[in-house]
Amino acid sequence: MPDVRYPIIYVRGYAMTDEEKNETAADPFCGFNAGSTVYRAVSDKDKPAQRFVFESPLVRLMKDFGYNAIYDNGLDLPDEGFKGVLSTRSIIIYRYYDDTAPLIGGQQSASMERFAKGLSDLILKVRDHVCGNADNCVDPANFKCYLVAHSMGGLICRAFLQNPQFNTPESKKAVDKFFTYATPHNGIDMAGINVPKWLGLFDINTFNRSNLMTLFGYDANLIAKGRSDYLRSGQDIDIRRCFCMIGSNRGDYEVAQGLSRTFAGHGSDGLVRIENASLCSIDANAVETPVAAAYAYRSHSGYFGIVNSEEAYQNLVRFLFGDVRVDIFAQVDSVTLPPAIQKDAADVDALYQFEALASPRGKPWYLTRRMAEEDSVACRTQQELATDADPSRRKVYLSSVFLANISRVNPNDPSLSYSLTLGVRVPDYKVKQVLWFDQHYEGSYLFRDTLVVEILPPATAAQPWQVRTRWQSQAAAPTGAGYQPLPWSNESATLKVPFASTSTPGISGTLVIDITGWNQ
């Protein structure tokens, strides 16, 4: 992989009160320097947390990849008199709250439009300083940077990327990749209701979907869909250069003495609902494509926050610098009902829950973790899987993971390997709207097994990509042999691995694993 690194611009999240804005203004790194010493191994909050030291994204980027902060002689990039030298491995903090913080004389009201335009201006300043450093050998036309954002910061980035009122062709073109932690792309819901447009107190109506759609420059047709989580294919940003990191731990979010997690409800990180934290691309024919996402059992912020987590950091650096991209889908061929209710198939309702846990070889954490107990599963109904009304609903997006050569446990083993645990549950069946409890066993699975995937990139351009897979329930760990050529076309390949239940009720289908060389 070419050793290419671009400047990282970090955009922090929402600060509600003047005190929080002051705290933000007083922190040189706006939370990107926050680490953690504990890891919530299970969803039971009463069990003690494991000790696991994560120094912070800032420190780890410095230690692992040679990045540096840019502050020089007490000055930041926008300050008059700044004479710092920027390398391509610089970390820049977009301090958009400074002009609203009373602590440092800020008197302006918060404005998403001003914040988005300010991000465009900052990118061009970073470009000028990076390109002005002869040691970087970077021409302005080829300058690139990464946008990394938490929570509302991701909305500021999207306003900049999606609405031409807030960008220039040069600043927009400069963005190579866009990564969000726990961003409410589809707004914030409390007690099941989207925050209203009229709730201007503390700028909470920033998270109203209608306001967001206007901010992103949607046209009337897109506004009519009622969602603010769309990226317009071929217009906003290449969706393959975007990634959403999504949290599923509401229990450890302590803001407002726990009221936030109470009103956000299950299926959230304590503030942002899981279903609202992802992005979707839509093309001119209204065809929707999910944007790459991964899930972690972390809360919106705090001791168990998503930014200050090893899991999110690993997804960040693998997305930015990794070597292989893997997009994972479950293609469902058939579902089988319990024999006793097959005669009533037309009147049966059921919700199929798809769990997915992916972890790289030799690491004590997951790259993605979707579990029923944490409300982060992908779901399909009985009708969607048992009929052909919409065949596209039979293909279930599970997650995307990125593999990196530098993270190999054994430097003498050239393969990139991860395990994928696939689980499919049906919590209960309804027959004519009545729960059917005969033969019901709480927590049981239609299917659950772990697939081990080992990818062997070519050592030279003349060699093929190779792969080997095994379900842990069916085969012992292989030795050095067993690799098969991976058919490669247009810089990508698709691996298909069948799965099926061994009993009734059951499910059968194929794991579809799309593999792409990344940063090649």
Side-chain angles (χ1 to χ4, degrees):
M1 182 189 75
D3 188 21
V4 176
R5 303 285 186 265
Y6 299 132
I8 293 172
I9 298 176
Y10 178 68
V11 188
R12 68 149 287 149
Y14 171 65
M16 184 170 71
T17 64
D18 282 350
E19 181 180 357
E20 290 175 352
K21 292 172 185 176
N22 286 341
E23 290 175 356
T24 297
D27 183 347
F29 298 104
C30 296
F32 205 47
N33 53 330
S36 64
T37 61
V38 286
Y39 176 79
R40 183 75 77 195
V42 295
S43 55
D44 186 349
K45 197 177 179 184
D46 294 329
K47 293 184 178 181
Q50 293 182 3
R51 183 172 177 83
F52 187 97
V53 177
F54 173 67
E55 303 96 312
S56 78
L58 179 78
V59 172
R60 287 289 294 278
L61 283 164
M62 291 176 171
K63 186 170 75 173
D64 297 346
F65 297 97
Y67 272 79
N68 293 288
I70 66 165
Y71 297 123
D72 180 71
N73 200 29
L75 298 177
D76 191 9
L77 178 61
D79 295 334
E80 186 176 350
F82 176 80
K83 297 180 180 179
V85 177
L86 271 63
S87 74
T88 56
R89 301 194 188 201
S90 295
I91 296 175
I92 301 96
I93 308 299
Y94 180 30
R95 303 182 56 82
Y96 62 89
Y97 266 129
D98 281 6
D99 63 8
T100 72
L103 176 69
I104 55 175
Q107 297 180 344
Q108 298 196 57
S109 299
S111 164
M112 293 292 284
E113 293 80 4
R114 187 175 75 254
F115 296 159
K117 182 64 173 65
L119 178 58
S120 177
D121 295 340
L122 178 63
I123 289 172
L124 295 179
K125 285 184 178 179
V126 173
R127 179 200 63 182
D128 292 344
H129 278 74
V130 169
C131 296
N133 180 356
D135 292 340
N136 294 326
C137 299
V138 177
D139 184 89
N142 298 318
F143 169 78
K144 296 290 183 182
C145 66
Y146 307 123
L147 294 182
V148 178
H150 175 229
S151 192
M152 190 184 82
L155 303 179
I156 293 171
C157 293
R158 285 185 58 198
F160 152 69
L161 289 167
Q162 295 191 257
N163 194 328
Q165 294 183 47
F166 310 131
N167 64 46
T168 68
E170 293 79 13
S171 61
K172 182 178 176 180
K173 176 178 174 288
V175 177
D176 181 68
K177 296 190 181 88
F178 173 40
F179 182 100
T180 64
Y181 300 95
T183 289
H185 292 293
N186 195 37
I188 287 180
D189 296 337
M190 288 290 163
I193 301 173
N194 183 220
V195 295
K197 293 183 70 171
W198 51 261
L199 188 57
L201 181 67
F202 300 125
D203 306 303
I204 292 174
N205 58 0
T206 295
F207 308 105
N208 172 266
R209 288 190 191 94
S210 179
N211 286 345
L212 288 174
M213 288 187 283
T214 301
L215 181 71
F216 301 147
Y218 285 5
D219 61 21
N221 291 331
L222 205 50
I223 289 175
K225 290 184 173 293
R227 289 168 47 189
S228 61
D229 55 357
Y230 285 115
L231 294 178
R232 292 161 295 198
S233 180
Q235 182 175 341
D236 296 325
I237 184 175
D238 181 357
I239 66 163
R240 289 186 60 79
R241 316 297 283 183
C242 302
F243 191 97
C244 301
M245 193 72 218
I246 301 171
S248 61
N249 176 3
R250 64 185 283 270
D252 285 307
Y253 190 59
E254 302 293 349
V255 168
Q257 287 76 50
L259 285 175
S260 173
R261 66 170 181 250
T262 299
F263 286 103
H266 291 284
S268 75
D269 62 7
L271 179 63
V272 179
R273 294 193 59 78
I274 292 169
E275 63 191 14
N276 289 339
S278 58
L279 282 166
C280 182
S281 170
I282 187 168
D283 67 15
N285 297 316
V287 175
E288 299 182 11
T289 304
V291 170
Y295 300 76
Y297 188 64
R298 305 293 294 198
S299 60
H300 193 76
S301 62
Y303 298 136
F304 299 91
I306 195 166
V307 175
N308 50 312
S309 72
E310 183 74 30
E311 305 97 307
Y313 171 75
Q314 289 293 334
N315 277 282
L316 170 66
V317 297
R318 289 160 183 263
F319 171 66
L320 295 183
F321 314 131
D323 299 280
V324 175
R325 172 180 177 144
V326 181
D327 298 302
I328 308 165
F329 302 82
Q331 178 70 54
V332 178
D333 295 332
S334 66
V335 291
T336 308
L337 294 172
I341 60 174
Q342 288 181 4
K343 66 181 185 300
D344 299 310
D347 297 315
V348 172
D349 188 17
L351 186 70
Y352 291 78
Q353 300 178 338
F354 292 80
E355 297 182 337
L357 298 95
S359 59
R361 178 172 50 200
K363 302 298 182 182
W365 33 259
Y366 293 107
L367 283 173
T368 196
R369 170 171 157 165
R370 306 187 71 174
M371 298 182 65
E373 288 81 1
E374 296 160 14
D375 301 304
S376 55
V377 290
C379 295
R380 292 293 187 272
T381 65
Q382 171 72 20
Q383 293 303 311
E384 287 176 318
L385 298 184
T387 69
D388 292 324
D390 184 358
S392 67
R393 297 295 290 170
R394 289 173 172 263
K395 189 172 185 179
V396 184
Y397 173 70
L398 298 176
S399 195
S400 298
V401 297
F402 294 80
L403 307 177
N405 282 319
I406 60 173
S407 299
R408 292 200 308 263
V409 176
N410 180 0
N412 296 318
D413 184 349
S415 67
L416 301 175
S417 179
Y418 70 96
S419 69
L420 173 66
T421 299
L422 173 66
V424 185
R425 293 180 175 184
V426 177
D428 45 54
Y429 295 94
K430 287 183 179 180
V431 180
K432 298 179 180 178
Q433 301 303 310
V434 178
L435 286 172
W436 182 77
F437 285 116
D438 290 358
Q439 303 174 30
H440 173 83
Y441 299 94
E442 188 66 27
S444 61
Y445 285 86
L446 298 182
F447 177 88
R448 194 174 196 273
D449 206 344
T450 298
L451 181 73
V452 176
V453 180
E454 295 176 88
I455 302 170
L456 191 62
T460 68
Q463 294 178 323
W465 287 68
Q466 299 180 76
V467 67
R468 64 183 179 190
T469 63
R470 61 183 174 91
W471 289 108
Q472 286 188 337
S473 66
Q474 299 174 0
T479 56
Y483 283 99
Q484 300 294 325
L486 187 61
W488 205 255
S489 176
N490 296 325
E491 302 182 354
S492 65
T494 298
L495 176 65
K496 296 184 178 182
V497 183
F499 67 90
S501 305
T502 57
S503 60
T504 301
I507 187 170
S508 66
T510 304
L511 269 178
V512 180
I513 302 172
D514 292 333
I515 302 170
T516 311
W518 194 245
N519 291 316
Q520 301 298 314

